[in-house]
């Protein structure tokens, strides 16, 4: 069961970044609980083909779409959800008055703003066009800002080239005007020079008036547009302009006539064959005359090349997305098909009436073991996605490293020398101990395979302040415990380091690894508030460093200790209210409980369960509920019952829940799916210890 926010659909890699971020400590909270206005606005941003930003709330929390990625450069990995002031700290003082005006309703637009930025192409001079407009919520209050941004570097550089051409032309025209002042002395010379410039220029030269009439054109017009010069000078200029460009061109001409200052723009003109040519213009009014000089350059090929490049980039990004999805689904399907094959074959053989008892037991064990392997595979996937339910506890890292050393030593074999280095002072962290030890095993196995069974493995514990900038400065505030594993193996090629944490990515032979080990380590550390770094030199070994937030020393009672499980004895007639919206699962659970000696009633959802329990618990000894259900979920039900009926135990069951992953499950009793009848009996026995018939009120 999932509760994926619908507004993230179609959002590409930007939506993936929102899904991947841990929002539990963020001021906005979990995405599924965001205001509708935020969800609608963010859906618009994520699905816009234009480069677009959404800044939300008083703190201007920063969201963006995939088209905006190149502008962020090294900020990309941590910018999503941060504040505007954090993301663009170097430009915040300049941006504050602009944002204040936009929030007050005075939208602004900046054209060709020069920025020297640290982008994904390195630090370089770029030019950008921005527009700011506010976003209103359902009550008409200002909730945030839309910011459209597009890179205009190509056009600015083209304009610069055009300006240089214009400068040359203006110089030539100045010479012509100077020659006019000495007409009596140099008129065959002056005319010849002017005519040569006019005839030979590759640029489009023209004289025109503010009434929209072309007075004269250079021969380059005929070569560019295929029209006779006579047609060009007798056709009103606006009739040649693309209909979608007429308003913009008219506005530029109005500014030129009013301000008497040069203007530049790009518009499309009709060719004789009916096609359109994009022309970059520079217009200069003639002093004291009701006309202007125009210089144009055909930029059609440049714009088409840029559009083609953009289309190819879009196709490449889509191909990469499909490849990643195919890799993930293919890996899951392959492993689960193998597991299902074992289960299906075992069940078919168990149906044989004459099957010997020893073989029946063997096939039953095979089914049970395969279910455990499937559950482990699911757990690894959830760990990679940071959706597993963690059970944090305080433990001393050095003591744990020393206690698992013997197991790790056995795991790597006799020809690999294992060294554990820990500091003298204790180092405490708060994390899921089982996941921590699983991460150690996964990294150790990875090191063993990289050394091909021969070499040295050093596991070193140290304490430090902030995490080095691995992926996001947001996770780098210390102190942190650093557990590093350094091997003398073959190392990792540079082109593979960026992929080693991907699910199902492996360089091992088929059948020798699922490719989920390191993804589990990555998911565990990130979900625990830490990170993992990799340093490797091909042929000289690899160091994995796992960072976990360090905590103050804990009392002995708070340290990790074994938990004794209750005996899976019979239910003794105790009454259990089962809450499950899936009919088949609900029937199975009630049947298992009845076989264990409990009396059960099935409720299809939490609201029905509350009606059955009433105000006094209706004589039930415990509630056994699913987590994700329509309407009220299991966690909400458990916490509500803790207030209304504090003496009534509640056990929750879930195979996966984003609610558990985001809100935590430290204050609830949780049974992980898939569970066995033995596990269900043990956990209910541990909580439902009152005598039969005793009320829960």
């Amino acid at each position: 069961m999932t509760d994926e926010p619908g507004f993230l659909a179609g959002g590409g890699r930007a939506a993936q970044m929102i899904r991947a971020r841990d929002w539990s400590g963020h001021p906005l909270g979990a995405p599924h609980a965001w205001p509708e206005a935020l969800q609608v606005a963010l859906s618009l941003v994520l699905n816009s083909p234009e480069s677009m930003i959404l800044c939300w709330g008083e703190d201007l929390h920063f969201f963006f779409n995939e088209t905006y990625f190149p502008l962020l450069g090294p900020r990309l990995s941590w910018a999503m959800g941060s504040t505007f002031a954090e993301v663009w700290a170097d430009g915040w003082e300049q941006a504050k008055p602009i944002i204040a005006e936009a929030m007050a309703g005075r939208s602004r637009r900046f054209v060709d703003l020069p920025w020297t930025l640290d982008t994904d192409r390195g630090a370089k001079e770029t030019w950008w066009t921005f527009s700011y407009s506010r976003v209103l919520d359902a009550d008409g209050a200002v909730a945030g800002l839309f910011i459209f941004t597009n890179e205009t570097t190509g056009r600015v550089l083209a304009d610069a080239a055009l300006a240089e051409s214009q400068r040359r032309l203006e110089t030539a025209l100045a010479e012509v005007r100077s020659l006019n002042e000495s007409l009596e002395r140099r008129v065959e010379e002056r005319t010849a020079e002017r005519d040569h410039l006019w005839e030979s220029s590759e640029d489009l030269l023209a004289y025109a008036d503010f009434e929209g009439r072309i007075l004269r054109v250079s021969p380059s017009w005929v070569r560019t547009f295929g029209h006779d010069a006579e047609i060009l000078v007798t056709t009103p200029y606006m009739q040649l302009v693309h209909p979608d460009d007429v308003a913009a061109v008219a506005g530029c001409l109005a500014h030129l006539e009013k301000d008497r200052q040069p203007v530049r723009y790009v518009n499309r003109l009709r060719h004789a064959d009916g096609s359109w040519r994009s022309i970059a213009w520079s217009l200069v009014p003639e002093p004291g005359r009701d006309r202007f000089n125009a210089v144009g350059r055909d930029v059609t090929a440049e714009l088409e090349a840029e559009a083609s490049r953009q289309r190819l980039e879009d196709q490449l990004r889509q191909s990469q997305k499909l490849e990643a999805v195919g890799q993930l689904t293919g890996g899951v399907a392959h492993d689960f098909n193998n597991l299902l094959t074992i289960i299906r074959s075992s069940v078919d053989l168990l149906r044989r009436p004459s099957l010997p008892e020893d073989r029946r037991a063997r096939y039953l064990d095979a089914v049970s073991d395969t279910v455990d392997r499937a559950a482990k595979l699911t757990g690894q996937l959830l760990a990679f996605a940071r959706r597993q339910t963690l059970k944090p506890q305080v433990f001393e890292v050095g003591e744990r490293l020393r206690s698992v050393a013997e197991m790790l030593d056995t795991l790597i074999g006799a020809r690999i020398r294992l060294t554990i280095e820990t500091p003298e002072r204790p180092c405490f962290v708060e994390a899921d101990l089982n996941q921590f030890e699983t991460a150690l095993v996964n990294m150790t196995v990875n090191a063993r395979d990289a050394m091909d069974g021969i070499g040295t493995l050093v596991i070193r514990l140290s304490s430090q302040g902030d995490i080095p900038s691995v992926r996001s400065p947001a996770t780098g505030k210390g102190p942190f415990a650093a557990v590093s594993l350094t091997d003398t193996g073959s190392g990792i090629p540079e082109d593979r380091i960026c992929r080693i944490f991907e699910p199902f990515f492996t360089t091992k032979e088929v059948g020798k690894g699922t490719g989920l080990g390191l993804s589990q380590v990555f998911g565990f550390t990130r979900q625990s508030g830490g990170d993992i770094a990799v340093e490797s030199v091909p042929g000289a070994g690899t160091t994995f460093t796992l960072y976990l937030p360090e905590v103050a020393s804990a009392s002995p009672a708070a340290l990790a200790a074994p938990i004794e499980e209750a005996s899976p004895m019979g239910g003794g007639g105790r009454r259990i209210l089962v809450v499950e919206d899936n009919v088949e699962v609900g029937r199975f659970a009630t049947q298992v409980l009845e076989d264990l000696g409990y009396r059960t009633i099935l409720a299809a959802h939490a609201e029905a369960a509350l009606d059955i329990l009433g105000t006094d618990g209706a004589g039930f000894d415990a509630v056994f509920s699913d987590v994700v259900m329509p309407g009220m979920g299991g966690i909400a039900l458990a916490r509500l019952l803790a207030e209304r009926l504090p003496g009534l135990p509640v056990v929750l069951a879930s195979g996966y829940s984003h609610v558990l992953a985001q809100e935590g499950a430290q204050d609830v009793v949780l049974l992980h799916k898939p569970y066995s009848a033995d596990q269900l009996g043990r956990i209910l026995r541990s909580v439902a210890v009152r005598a039969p018939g005793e009320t829960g009120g």
Side-chain angles (χ1 to χ4, degrees), residues 619-670:
F620 284 95
D621 296 284
V623 175
F624 179 48
S625 173
D626 192 14
V627 171
V628 177
M629 297 179 291
M632 181 183 294
I635 291 182
L637 173 63
R639 290 174 178 167
L640 181 60
L641 290 178
E643 296 177 2
R644 294 185 181 180
L645 303 169
L648 180 63
V650 179
V651 176
L652 299 181
S654 178
Y656 156 66
S657 170
H658 70 282
V659 178
L660 291 172
Q662 293 172 354
E663 298 184 7
Q666 293 85 347
D667 58 344
V668 299
V669 180
L670 180 66

Side-chain angles (χ1 to χ4, degrees), residues 235-256:
T235 302
Y237 177 70
M238 288 300 184
Q239 292 185 14
L240 300 174
V241 176
H242 193 286
D244 293 343
D245 298 343
V246 168
V249 172
C252 290
L253 294 179
H255 282 295
L256 181 68

Side-chain angles (χ1 to χ4, degrees), residues 74 118 121 142 150 156 194 321 363 374 392 439 549 567 637 685 695:
D118 189 11
R121 293 159 290 176
V142 178
N150 285 288
V156 170
R194 183 183 61 187
K321 294 177 187 176
Y363 296 142
S567 170
L637 173 63
R685 178 67 179 174
T695 65

Side-chain angles (χ1 to χ4, degrees), residues 239-577:
Q239 292 185 14
L240 300 174
V241 176
H242 193 286
D244 293 343
D245 298 343
V246 168
V249 172
C252 290
L253 294 179
H255 282 295
L256 181 68
E257 183 177 16
K258 177 183 177 182
D259 300 336
R260 310 298 293 185
Q261 295 294 324
V263 297
R264 297 179 178 87
Y265 61 89
V266 177
N267 75 290
R268 291 162 289 180
L269 295 181
R270 187 176 66 250
H271 191 275
D273 62 10
S275 63
W276 299 96
R277 297 288 190 272
S278 296
I279 308 298
W281 291 108
S282 179
L283 310 183
V284 179
E286 287 195 1
R289 307 186 69 176
D290 190 24
R291 74 179 198 182
F292 58 90
N293 301 316
V295 180
R297 185 168 63 88
D298 188 348
V299 294
T300 305
E302 297 175 19
L303 296 180
E304 289 178 349
E306 176 62 22
S308 177
R309 182 190 65 80
Q310 186 62 47
R311 286 193 297 271
L312 289 175
E313 288 184 355
D314 292 342
Q315 292 172 1
L316 177 60
R317 283 193 292 268
Q318 183 64 19
S319 175
Q320 291 171 337
K321 294 177 187 176
L322 293 175
E323 181 181 357
V325 171
Q327 180 183 1
L328 179 62
T329 56
V332 172
H334 175 269
D335 282 6
F336 267 101
N337 278 334
N338 287 340
L339 299 175
L340 291 174
T341 297
I342 298 174
I343 295 175
R344 178 62 181 270
S345 299
S346 298
V347 170
D348 287 344
L349 291 170
L350 286 169
R351 294 180 186 274
R352 295 183 176 181
S354 60
L355 188 67
E357 190 59 33
D358 58 338
R359 291 190 181 180
R360 183 180 303 277
R362 186 191 313 160
Y363 296 142
L364 287 172
D365 289 342
V367 171
S368 179
D369 292 344
T370 303
V371 170
D372 290 341
R373 289 167 58 192
K376 181 179 180 181
L377 177 60
T378 303
Q380 289 177 315
L381 284 172
L382 293 179
F384 169 76
R386 282 173 277 164
R387 292 296 187 267
Q388 62 182 340
T389 304
L390 298 180
K391 289 289 186 180
Q393 57 191 105
V394 176
F395 60 88
E396 204 281 301
V397 184
E399 186 276 329
R400 288 295 165 177
L401 291 178
R402 291 186 292 271
S403 67
V404 300
E406 182 176 351
M407 177 190 68
L408 298 180
D409 198 37
T410 302
L411 186 66
I412 60 179
R415 295 191 297 173
I416 294 180
R417 180 170 176 264
L418 174 65
T419 301
I420 305 290
E421 298 180 2
T422 59
E424 292 184 2
R425 75 171 187 86
C427 177
F428 294 91
V429 299
E430 185 174 12
D432 189 303
L433 178 58
N434 289 333
Q435 289 294 324
F436 172 73
E437 293 183 348
T438 300
L440 287 177
V441 170
N442 285 333
M443 290 190 293
T444 299
V445 169
N446 195 68
R448 178 198 66 190
D449 294 344
M451 293 185 286
D452 198 20
I454 303 176
T456 300
L457 176 62
V458 178
I459 301 180
R460 182 179 294 108
L461 169 64
S462 62
S463 272
Q464 63 179 65
D466 297 345
I467 298 180
S469 182
V470 180
R471 291 171 187 84
S472 167
T475 62
K477 300 303 180 183
F480 283 88
V483 180
S484 62
L485 286 83
T486 302
D487 63 58
T488 56
S490 58
I492 305 172
E494 185 176 356
D495 61 343
R496 292 186 177 181
I497 283 186
C498 62
R499 299 193 60 196
I500 59 176
F501 296 117
E502 294 179 8
F504 299 106
F505 176 77
T506 180
T507 58
K508 300 177 183 179
E509 299 177 10
V510 175
K512 293 190 175 180
T514 63
L516 286 173
L518 290 180
S519 69
Q520 178 271 336
V521 179
F522 175 83
F524 159 66
T525 55
R526 295 286 283 177
Q527 192 175 349
S528 300
D531 215 327
I532 182 170
V534 185
E535 297 179 357
S536 185
V537 177
T542 301
T543 297
F544 285 88
T545 302
L546 185 153
Y547 298 95
L548 290 174
E550 189 174 350
V551 298
S553 59
S555 63
L559 295 178
I563 300 175
E564 295 185 1
E565 294 185 337
S567 170
M569 294 175 61
R574 293 179 177 83
R575 300 184 67 209
I576 307 297
L577 179 59

Side-chain angles (χ1 to χ4, degrees), residues 169 173 192-207 215-221 223 293-294:
L169 176 63
L173 292 176
E193 182 179 352
R194 183 183 61 187
D195 288 345
H196 175 73
L197 173 65
W198 191 264
E199 294 293 329
S200 62
S201 176
E202 291 296 324
D203 292 329
L204 302 175
L205 309 181
Y207 299 125
L215 305 178
R216 185 185 178 192
V217 296
S218 64
S220 56
W221 280 70
R223 296 191 295 270
N293 301 316

